[in-house]
Amino acid sequence: MLLPALLALTLHQAPLSTVSEQSGWTRTGRYAEVQSLCAAFPKRYPGKVRCDSFGTTPEGRPLLALVASADGTLSPAAAAKKDRPVVFFQGGIHAGEIDGKDAGFWLLRDLLDGKALPGVLKQVTAVFVPVFNVDGHESFGPNNRPNQVGPEEMGWRVTGQNLNLNRDYVKADAPEMVALLTFLNTWDPLFYVDLHVTDGAKFEHDVSVQLEPQRVGPEPMQALGTKLREELFTGLESQGHLPLAFYPSFRENDDPASGVSYGVSPPRFSHQYWAAHRRWGMLVETHSWKPYAHRVATTRHVLEGLLRLVARDGQALQAARKAADAEAESGKVRDVVLLWDNTPKHHPIAFRGYAYERTPSELTTQSWIRYDDSKPQVWTIPYYDELRPALTASLPTGGYLVPPAHAAWVAEKLTAHGLRFQRLGQEVASAPVQVFRATEAKFRPVSFEGRQGLSVKGEWKQESQRLPAGTLYVPAAQKAAPLLAHLLEPLGPDSLLAWGFFNNHFEQKEYVEDYVLEPFARELLAHNPAVKAEWEEKLKDKDFASNPRARLRFFYERHPAHDARLDLYPVFRTDSAPAGLQSVR
């Protein structure tokens, strides 16, 4: 139904049409087209569109955005002054999944011409990044997405530095990400929408829309998010779509009978990153096995529906965000869930799939699934949609302290994330703080996204520590308090510690020779009854007793030369701001 209508629209080519439109939605243009259109839109719509360059990729290409407003509200300051809702949407974070680029240009032109949603751009400012992963976009080829129907050629999933941008939001390793985060936080949009295409199975559903806050986050925002998502889906269904509120991957690979889950991912992902700012983040995933024309139209319909609802309900949505900001800035956000999980509870749902069979493969010896997409079926499968916190952290009543050795690069991260901090102008010789000493530290055996991850066990404990001049103080009472916890709470899966930024502090750097420890150990046991009692207790542990290195380590940890800072996380917590702070950000 959608495809013939869409093709009919392209018979008369509009000005500013894309290669995709001109080809009947079989091809997509190269990045030169984005550059050309970004320059052309402001000329065609003077005073209503701005073309911004917000950075440069490692391969030297400009990162571009179009800002559109019918009444010229084209800057963050102007939008803030008018209390104007901003909807920020981006395509091509995975440059092979390029529906968002072509849908965005098409929709933006029709909005400005008054053919779509008349008047909406007087109530909402739209910020459109056609392609985020620009260098990946130019790694063009016909075989970059073998499980996707069109376009004929497309870009590559990762950047020129081989980084997956949709795993980089917290660690911000990619130059593109640093540029995008700075731009995003400057605009501070009400909604941040990331446009993708699925991987995975074959089925009839053509789009997944995940939105938070809806199930998690500030309760007033949850209620408004749920209402918006339900109305959005009603509109999509009236247009012939089959939307899903969860990502359609099976709990067990290639086994539809295993069911699906409603998930809340950590903030390394785009939409959850923005939800950690206590704004709405939306992930749109069209289904890869639908034709490109259908997917582009579907993406447009999602954006149209969202813009219409934000224009209508903008005042209520903005008020909820302001209330959430006031709550966080007053220090009332105390507990932050760092990791969500599903409970075992589930219920059956009807899922629009296809006939399939799973048989053993004589080639691989594993199960092989084959779909027959000429035979639609309605599957009844389990849906695990009940959430529970798997890991929660309590924020300090004051904030976090970052010693000078790490202050420079941590400050850069905080700045990119839009987080406030100050510097200590004078040394504090001894301050009561909370420190985290790892009782166990395990490096992951393989790297992920270019980093060797680290997982630790331990807890915060009260100690006195020297705070040198130049120490950063990061207050917990700020708008993006949940994001701050994700960054600096060491047990979190997306903490800077977990991503491997502090690995050196969990590596032993100095040693005592065994022949030096042997006489020291004997002397210690002979003259320290408490240590002797502890030693005898440890020997009851068979693993310890049978491990010569563990035995020696027992005595090394009690030697005067033992490095007391080994396994000490070099970020502290404090219940109050230290004296002598200088404003930085």
Side-chain angles (χ1 to χ4, degrees):
M1 180 177 74
L2 290 168
L3 187 54
L6 182 55
L7 290 174
L9 285 173
T10 67
L11 293 177
H12 175 69
Q13 297 298 338
L16 303 181
S17 61
T18 60
V19 166
S20 191
E21 290 176 271
Q22 295 162 19
S23 70
W25 311 98
T26 61
R27 294 187 289 120
T28 193
R30 301 295 293 266
Y31 196 64
E33 176 184 62
V34 173
Q35 295 174 274
S36 175
L37 288 172
C38 199
F41 264 78
K43 293 178 182 178
R44 179 174 170 84
Y45 308 103
K48 297 181 179 181
V49 182
R50 201 174 77 193
C51 176
D52 280 350
S53 176
F54 60 90
T56 304
T57 73
E59 294 181 1
R61 300 181 178 94
L63 291 159
L64 298 175
L66 283 159
V67 183
S69 165
D71 65 356
T73 308
L74 298 174
S75 70
K81 185 176 181 179
K82 294 181 180 180
D83 197 25
R84 177 66 52 83
V86 176
V87 174
F88 188 122
F89 55 100
Q90 72 186 25
I93 189 172
H94 295 152
E97 306 167 23
I98 204 59
D99 309 14
K101 176 189 69 174
D102 291 320
F105 277 126
W106 178 29
L107 173 60
L108 203 59
R109 187 188 67 223
D110 283 359
L111 287 169
L112 291 159
D113 283 340
K115 295 179 181 179
L117 303 175
V120 159
L121 285 182
K122 290 184 179 179
Q123 299 167 285
V124 177
T125 292
V127 181
F128 171 44
V129 175
V131 181
F132 181 13
N133 177 14
V134 176
D135 291 344
H137 185 278
E138 291 306 278
S139 185
F140 222 62
N143 300 310
N144 288 345
R145 291 281 292 168
N147 55 329
Q148 179 175 297
V149 181
E152 291 174 0
E153 293 184 279
M154 71 287 287
W156 185 242
R157 182 176 180 84
V158 295
T159 70
Q161 296 179 335
N162 223 41
L163 288 169
N164 184 340
L165 290 173
N166 204 28
R167 306 296 183 271
D168 196 42
Y169 276 83
V170 172
K171 63 185 178 70
D173 279 334
E176 299 97 323
M177 181 58 72
V178 175
L180 187 281
L181 293 180
T182 303
F183 189 60
L184 179 67
N185 282 298
T186 300
W187 271 103
D188 193 19
L190 185 64
F191 280 80
Y192 176 40
V193 187
D194 195 15
L195 304 169
H196 287 248
V197 182
T198 63
D199 294 309
K202 287 188 176 184
F203 41 77
E204 288 195 288
H205 296 278
D206 60 350
V207 65
S208 161
V209 180
Q210 295 172 262
L211 176 69
E212 295 298 345
Q214 181 188 199
R215 297 285 301 279
V216 302
E219 289 189 5
M221 294 183 72
Q222 286 186 44
L224 288 168
T226 299
K227 178 176 179 289
L228 182 142
R229 199 270 306 158
E230 289 174 348
E231 290 193 57
L232 177 63
F233 276 28
T234 298
L236 290 172
E237 288 163 357
S238 73
Q239 293 170 301
H241 297 292
L242 296 171
L244 296 167
F246 53 87
Y247 188 85
S249 61
F250 303 129
R251 287 170 65 88
E252 296 179 15
N253 191 42
D254 284 344
D255 185 3
S258 66
V260 290
S261 302
Y262 186 100
V264 175
S265 53
R268 70 185 65 177
F269 297 95
S270 58
H271 64 302
Q272 296 296 352
Y273 172 80
W274 203 235
H277 278 265
R278 295 161 72 85
R279 281 98 176 92
W280 280 280
M282 179 179 283
L283 176 67
V284 179
E285 298 264 4
T286 55
H287 187 36
S288 62
W289 291 106
K290 303 300 180 187
Y292 190 54
H294 183 106
R295 299 203 317 268
V296 172
T298 303
T299 302
R300 171 178 169 143
H301 290 160
V302 173
L303 292 172
E304 277 184 303
L306 176 63
L307 288 168
R308 177 180 61 82
L309 292 167
V310 173
R312 187 194 72 186
D313 298 337
Q315 283 191 327
L317 295 165
Q318 291 278 74
R321 179 178 74 168
K322 289 176 185 176
D325 286 351
E327 179 187 40
E329 290 178 321
S330 67
K332 293 179 182 177
V333 175
R334 303 300 313 131
D335 294 326
V336 177
V337 178
L338 302 178
L339 185 65
W340 290 93
D341 195 5
N342 295 105
T343 71
K345 292 182 180 179
H346 57 84
H347 58 92
I349 60 168
F351 191 93
R352 297 274 292 270
Y354 296 111
Y356 69 93
E357 61 177 0
R358 298 178 75 233
T359 56
S361 166
E362 71 280 7
L363 298 178
T364 65
T365 71
Q366 66 181 7
S367 293
W368 172 34
I369 191 166
R370 284 173 285 182
Y371 295 96
D372 184 349
D373 52 16
S374 69
K375 297 178 180 179
Q377 286 184 346
V378 177
W379 304 334
T380 299
I381 60 174
Y383 181 33
Y384 296 77
D385 62 343
E386 185 175 88
L387 295 168
R388 62 184 175 190
L391 179 64
T392 301
S394 295
L395 285 162
T397 55
Y400 296 90
L401 297 161
V402 182
H406 294 285
W409 70 264
V410 171
E412 291 176 356
K413 300 289 183 191
L414 296 172
T415 300
H417 290 304
L419 293 164
R420 293 185 292 107
F421 59 91
Q422 296 171 274
R423 291 185 195 275
L424 192 59
Q426 59 190 34
E427 178 179 320
V428 177
S430 180
V433 297
Q434 295 170 37
V435 304
F436 183 97
R437 295 181 185 275
T439 56
E440 179 179 298
K442 289 186 177 180
F443 296 101
R444 291 172 190 149
V446 295
S447 69
F448 176 65
E449 288 300 307
R451 291 197 162 273
Q452 184 185 23
L454 173 67
S455 61
V456 296
K457 293 181 180 179
E459 60 185 17
W460 293 101
K461 293 183 178 180
Q462 202 72 27
E463 283 188 16
S464 292
Q465 289 283 340
R466 171 178 162 267
L467 302 179
T471 295
L472 297 186
Y473 171 67
V474 192
Q478 51 182 308
K479 291 188 291 188
L483 178 64
L484 182 60
H486 281 287
L487 281 166
L488 296 182
E489 283 296 323
L491 298 179
D494 266 349
S495 68
L496 295 176
L497 179 146
W499 277 109
F501 283 89
F502 295 105
N503 282 3
N504 286 349
H505 291 268
F506 300 88
E507 301 168 356
Q508 187 171 339
K509 302 298 185 179
E510 188 55 273
Y511 305 85
V512 178
E513 298 291 352
D514 293 359
Y515 65 82
V516 175
L517 279 173
E518 287 281 356
F520 168 78
R522 286 164 172 75
E523 185 76 10
L524 187 64
L525 291 174
H527 295 94
N528 193 319
V531 171
K532 184 177 181 181
E534 191 177 352
W535 168 252
E536 290 173 349
E537 185 65 28
K538 288 286 288 183
L539 290 175
K540 296 176 183 177
D541 180 340
K542 291 182 179 179
D543 290 337
F544 174 84
S546 63
N547 187 334
R549 302 314 302 174
R551 284 173 170 248
L552 273 172
R553 186 170 185 83
F554 177 92
F555 296 105
Y556 168 66
E557 289 173 351
R558 288 153 181 81
H559 193 281
H562 174 246
D563 180 6
R565 302 189 77 81
L566 175 63
D567 293 335
L568 175 66
Y569 175 43
V571 175
F572 308 144
R573 291 164 45 121
T574 178
D575 290 335
S576 59
L581 290 173
Q582 300 172 338
S583 294
V584 177
R585 176 180 169 80

